[in-house]
Amino acid sequence: MTEFWLISAPGEKTCQQTWDKLMVATTRTNNLSTNHKLNIPDLKVGTLDVLVGLSDELAKLDSFVESVVKKVAQYMADVLEDSRDKVQENLLANGGNRFYITQRKKKGTDIRLKLIPFDLVTYITRFQWDMAKYPIKQSLKNISEIISKQVTQIDNDLKARASAYNNLKGNLQNLERKNAGSLLTRSLADIVKKEDFVLESEYLITMLVVVPKTSYNDWNKTYETLSEMVVPRSTKMIIEDNDSGLFSVTLFRKAVDDFKHKARENKFTVREFQYNEEEMKADKEEMTRLSTDKKKQFVSSCIFKEGRSSLFKSDSPLVLNLKPDHSGPLVRWLKVNFSEAFIAWIHIKTLRVFIESVLRYGLPVNFQAMLLQPNKKNMKRLREVLYDLYKHLDSSAAIIDAAMDIPGLNLSQQEYYPYVYYKIDCNLLDFKV
């Protein structure tokens, strides 16, 4: 992924002139960055006191929403596990898809709507304010509160869903651990068979003993004499791994405690196991259920639907040319709410650049907001060019200490430049996908 620099500068005679100057300085001669205009609607300005207070509040909200975006993205990666190379394909904005008409004939023929991915870079560079979610007739404070409430709900829902999924995953891992490992620790339910045991006997019982490979001869020579009442020639090796073998032996119930004690003295390990078909069946069913439930969270069957469209007056059949979506409920929730959180985050950045521009450049509102995608090799040079271009806006910018705390400017949170600047980092994961 990549990063963007969201900047603004006051309009010259027109905002287009500000844009043209940036383009000449950064792209037409030296290819320092790829630039895009950021379209900001006519937001309500309010009073200066409100703007100063909002500037500080939005700085905190920005950090919070960014953290939620990253948490949802990282949890998506954790849930997909073996499909981590597919994670970036699911980190999309605006629901990840948009409809567009690919074919519409005049009379009674198919209207085909195709879903296309809307990746994060495309969303940012083609940003349009969402009037439905964040009505611009509302005050800036109300819009920020709408975003805060929305993202807080996503964060709370993520915690609840993550807890439920982690419990499911943990229970499954515990069962899987029982069926793995050495003969000393692993479950024996899927190893032994009914015929390995003497069952339904009032006096006799079959014990299972783990014997080191180096001690096979000692076991065969001594097991009958480890205690009284061991059935002669009753031992049988059921299975072995790299280090040891599992042996069965039959003895009288009253000799069990003495046999266990003598076995320990001879470095033979008696496994506590009783053959119970109902319990063993229940364990296997629980393993299957947990495994199925886990898979259902991120894999489901693909459904194609065909019907008639209510969007058009025509009675033509509507064919949805859908890309198969095999996502289960948890992954679907993560995809949708990642998109919601990411969209909210970019709207916060837009609010911040608007408010900061008004505070810096004054009224009436006259500035150009611009998105720069820096060339990685030329970031330092780009910063120098921007400083030369805008240093006349604030001659003190070069000497202001970033640790100073000036209300409304949030200098303690980032470097200060003569132009308004915010970074949008799209590298949202702890690993490279």
Side-chain angles (χ1 to χ4, degrees), residues 225-242:
T225 59
L226 289 178
S227 75
E228 297 180 352
M229 301 184 182
V230 174
V231 177
R233 288 179 283 185
S234 63
T235 191
K236 179 181 71 172
M237 187 172 74
I238 298 172
I239 196 173
E240 65 178 348
D241 60 18
N242 292 333

Side-chain angles (χ1 to χ4, degrees), residues 17-47:
Q17 286 181 323
T18 303
W19 170 256
D20 290 340
K21 279 190 176 182
L22 176 78
M23 292 296 289
V24 169
T26 62
T27 64
R28 292 177 187 171
T29 58
N30 45 22
N31 193 29
L32 297 178
S33 62
T34 303
N35 305 331
H36 307 269
K37 288 183 180 179
L38 181 75
N39 296 312
I40 301 179
D42 295 329
L43 300 169
K44 287 190 173 183
V45 175
T47 65

Side-chain angles (χ1 to χ4, degrees), residues 252-299:
F252 281 78
R253 291 181 181 273
K254 63 173 65 178
V256 166
D257 290 340
D258 186 44
F259 181 84
K260 288 181 179 179
H261 176 70
K262 294 290 179 59
R264 279 196 300 272
E265 289 182 347
N266 286 271
K267 298 183 180 179
F268 304 138
T269 304
V270 177
R271 292 291 309 270
E272 298 292 340
F273 182 86
Q274 289 185 343
Y275 188 87
N276 186 312
E277 286 186 326
E278 290 185 0
E279 288 183 4
M280 292 163 63
K281 182 181 178 181
D283 286 345
K284 289 180 181 179
E285 289 176 350
E286 178 69 1
M287 168 81 85
T288 302
R289 183 188 68 79
L290 290 173
S291 180
T292 301
D293 287 350
K294 183 183 173 209
K295 288 178 181 178
K296 281 181 179 178
Q297 293 302 310
F298 60 93
V299 178

Side-chain angles (χ1 to χ4, degrees), residues 29 49 80-81 95 144 176 192-193 245 249 251 302 311 331 372:
T29 58
D49 288 346
L80 289 177
E81 296 178 344
S144 71
E176 288 173 342
V192 297
K193 300 177 182 178
V249 60
L251 59 152
C302 177
L311 300 175
V331 170
L372 282 63

Side-chain angles (χ1 to χ4, degrees), residues 182-186 188 207-213 215-216 219 239 241 243-248 263 266-272:
S182 72
L183 291 171
L184 292 169
T185 57
R186 65 162 297 162
L188 303 177
M207 308 287 292
L208 297 177
V209 183
V210 178
V211 179
K213 278 189 172 181
S215 302
Y216 282 1
W219 166 256
I239 196 173
D241 60 18
D243 303 312
S244 54
L246 182 69
F247 289 78
S248 63
N266 286 271
K267 298 183 180 179
F268 304 138
T269 304
V270 177
R271 292 291 309 270
E272 298 292 340

Side-chain angles (χ1 to χ4, degrees), residues 419-433:
Y419 48 92
V420 174
Y421 162 79
Y422 296 104
K423 186 170 87 168
I424 301 174
D425 190 352
C426 293
N427 298 298
L428 302 173
L429 296 167
D430 291 337
F431 64 93
K432 294 180 180 180
V433 294

